[in-house]
Amino acid sequence: MAYAEPYVFVPLNILTAAQLNAIQDNIRFFRTTVRYVEIEVVAPGTSWVTGDGKKYFHIPTGLNGMNLVYVHAFDVTAGTTGVSTIQIANVTDSVDMLSTRITIDSGETGSNTAATPAVIDTTHDDVATNDVIRIDIDGTSTTAPKGLVVTLGFSF
């Protein structure tokens, strides 16, 4: 489904079924569109170090009322021996947003291949204007990975 040019309303004009369907399609388009935010948490040549608050993200008005629906992380240089873990927290609401943290397995560079996929906690996935989101590094491989980029997707 694609976004259609909006109808210009004329007073006392009766809308056709096609015009009403186009309006409904536009509403569906905006309600199903995922807005992505990509955050560099650790610079490419720098090893990960565990701790809360490695990066913070402010929720702008354009994401108000949306839910976290997608998470992904990748490192530039893979860590070895053990799993690296990342948590997403809503500081404003004092809650973790993932019931199962993002993991990157030993020798891997992305969470998309993780043996244990991340799970978004649907009771804590909503965001509001001016919420502060925090990215925590909860664990690293024995030989720490280098560089970290986290992608978050938000939708209605």
Side-chain angles (χ1 to χ4, degrees), residues 4 28 53 55 85 136 143 151:
R28 279 194 203 112
K55 195 63 85 167
T85 57
D136 303 336
T143 302
T151 303

Side-chain angles (χ1 to χ4, degrees), residues 76-99:
V76 177
T77 304
T80 56
T81 315
V83 175
S84 299
T85 57
I86 301 145
Q87 179 61 266
I88 310 299
N90 185 323
V91 176
T92 307
D93 294 343
S94 301
V95 295
D96 287 337
M97 299 181 79
L98 305 176
S99 54

Side-chain angles (χ1 to χ4, degrees), residues 3-85:
Y3 177 75
E5 192 62 35
Y7 175 74
V8 177
F9 291 94
V10 177
L12 302 177
N13 191 21
I14 297 174
L15 297 175
T16 67
Q19 291 167 325
L20 287 170
N21 287 337
I23 292 168
Q24 187 176 23
D25 286 346
N26 283 350
I27 291 168
R28 279 194 203 112
F29 174 82
F30 282 110
R31 292 198 62 81
T32 58
T33 299
V34 178
R35 297 190 180 140
Y36 295 95
V37 178
E38 191 171 88
I39 304 158
E40 182 183 281
V41 180
V42 178
T46 305
S47 296
W48 293 21
V49 176
T50 60
D52 290 350
K54 293 301 179 177
K55 195 63 85 167
Y56 290 83
F57 169 69
H58 168 263
I59 298 296
T61 57
L63 298 179
N64 184 53
M66 290 189 166
N67 296 319
L68 179 66
V69 296
Y70 174 84
V71 294
H72 180 266
F74 78 88
D75 50 40
V76 177
T77 304
T80 56
T81 315
V83 175
S84 299
T85 57

